[in-house]
Amino acid sequence: MLELTDLHAFYGKSHVLHGVSLRVGPGEVVSLLGRNGVGRSTTVKAVMGQVSATGSVRFKGQEVLGLKAHEIARRGVGYVPEDRAIFQDLTVRENLLLGEKRRRAPARWTTERIWELFPQLGCRAETPAGVLSGGEQQMLTLARTLMGDPELVLVDEPTEGLAPRVVAQVGAFLTEIAKSGVAILLVEQKLAIALQISERLYVMGHGRVVFEGTPSDLRANDAIRSEWLSV
Ligand SMILES: Nc1ncnc2c1ncn2[C@@H]1O[C@H](COP(=O)(O)OP(=O)(O)OP(=O)(O)O)[C@@H](O)[C@H]1O
Ligand SMILES: [Mg+2]
């Protein structure tokens, strides 16, 4: 589905990614872990054409490196960036409907289906989105991305700043999304949630992938956890 090969990325003269290779299969949940500043967000931004990069980014077998962000989105890649960009003054429903851009018939995601999956949003459909809690706003940005009918979503730290109970809710929501057949590349810093919902994980350090494996591989690897993940 998504395959990055030898990806290098640059902010001006600053060389931030040094040959990242990773893949996400159809319907798979894969996490990208690592400490602050290692290049996780840059990796997903490079996939979305938002950073200057070299190497290869293939989506469904086709090279997408060099395409504009909206072209990549139109091919079926959804992106939920770090900042929760919801429209505070629009209602929850209006925010969701803004996500409808690449509709197939019949639409896989409808507002009704979102309300079913996440009743907390449904009962606030007509409420201005600005009054939602941080966790609800995060669900809303995820839900809005689904309305664009992606086959893969890149989700950058959806649990940042959320209370543990809410982190678990976001995790459950991501699992539901994956069950519906949408692949997920989850950028995380919280190991527990990543281990819980991922089929495979990558750990990054200094702009490189330093570990790739299953949750049980990572649980068993104390050296990687202490060198690249613990604070
Ligand atoms: N717009 C930018 N201009 C210059 N350097 C940047 C820019 N954005 C990020 N960087 C640098 O690139 C490196 C990787 O940043 P990135 O945002 O990918 O990190 P990250 O792994 O997502 O961590 P976190 O989200 O915790 O900051 C960091 O050293 C960061 O300072
Ligand atoms: Mg980041």
Side-chain angles (χ1 to χ4, degrees):
M1 168 119 301
L2 180 72
E3 187 155 22
L4 314 189
T5 312
D6 196 26
L7 190 68
H8 291 253
F10 307 84
Y11 293 108
K13 283 187 184 152
S14 158
H15 187 173
V16 172
L17 297 185
H18 300 269
V20 171
S21 297
L22 62 82
R23 68 187 168 81
V24 182
E28 202 180 20
V29 180
V30 173
S31 285
L32 187 55
L33 292 162
R35 293 202 180 101
N36 290 114
V38 294
R40 296 162 305 151
S41 296
T42 303
T43 303
V44 292
K45 283 179 190 161
V47 172
M48 293 312 290
Q50 299 186 356
V51 189
S52 101
T54 64
S56 167
V57 177
R58 295 176 84 79
F59 179 63
K60 296 200 289 183
Q62 292 186 320
E63 186 61 50
V64 297
L65 193 69
L67 296 186
K68 297 255 187 305
H70 69 269
E71 289 167 343
I72 296 166
R74 202 161 40 81
R75 289 179 187 219
V77 184
Y79 174 42
V80 185
E82 276 172 298
D83 50 353
R84 298 175 191 129
I86 60 152
F87 295 89
Q88 310 265 329
D89 300 331
L90 298 184
T91 66
V92 168
R93 182 192 303 278
E94 286 164 343
N95 267 278
L96 262 189
L97 293 176
L98 288 174
E100 290 183 313
K101 42 191 170 209
R102 171 187 175 267
R103 307 308 311 226
R104 279 190 300 217
R108 210 155 30 139
W109 297 93
T110 56
T111 49
E112 289 71 31
R113 180 139 179 240
I114 299 289
W115 308 151
E116 255 168 54
L117 208 58
F118 197 63
Q120 249 174 294
L121 286 182
C123 55
R124 292 171 169 230
E126 314 310 333
T127 308
V131 309
L132 299 182
S133 70
E136 289 164 346
Q137 292 191 11
Q138 191 59 59
M139 310 281 188
L140 179 56
T141 54
L142 268 165
R144 183 177 62 196
T145 301
L146 292 177
M147 295 295 281
D149 204 9
E151 289 166 64
L152 165 73
V153 282
L154 315 173
V155 193
D156 199 345
E157 295 214 55
T159 67
E160 201 186 0
L162 301 182
R165 184 180 52 85
V166 187
V167 170
Q169 283 178 7
V170 173
F173 193 37
L174 288 169
T175 302
E176 283 302 318
I177 293 170
K179 272 194 210 151
S180 76
V182 178
I184 297 177
L185 179 61
L186 172 67
V187 170
E188 256 307 332
Q189 198 157 35
K190 296 188 175 74
L191 179 60
I193 185 81
L195 287 172
Q196 208 183 327
I197 72 172
S198 308
E199 283 145 82
R200 288 185 306 110
L201 312 99
Y202 293 87
V203 178
M204 284 182 74
H206 307 316
R208 293 181 170 82
V209 171
V210 295
F211 169 90
E212 172 187 354
T214 63
S216 47
D217 296 336
L218 186 54
R219 281 195 188 93
N221 197 326
D222 293 338
I224 288 288
R225 288 204 320 279
S226 64
E227 189 173 356
W228 299 105
L229 294 173
S230 318
V231 252

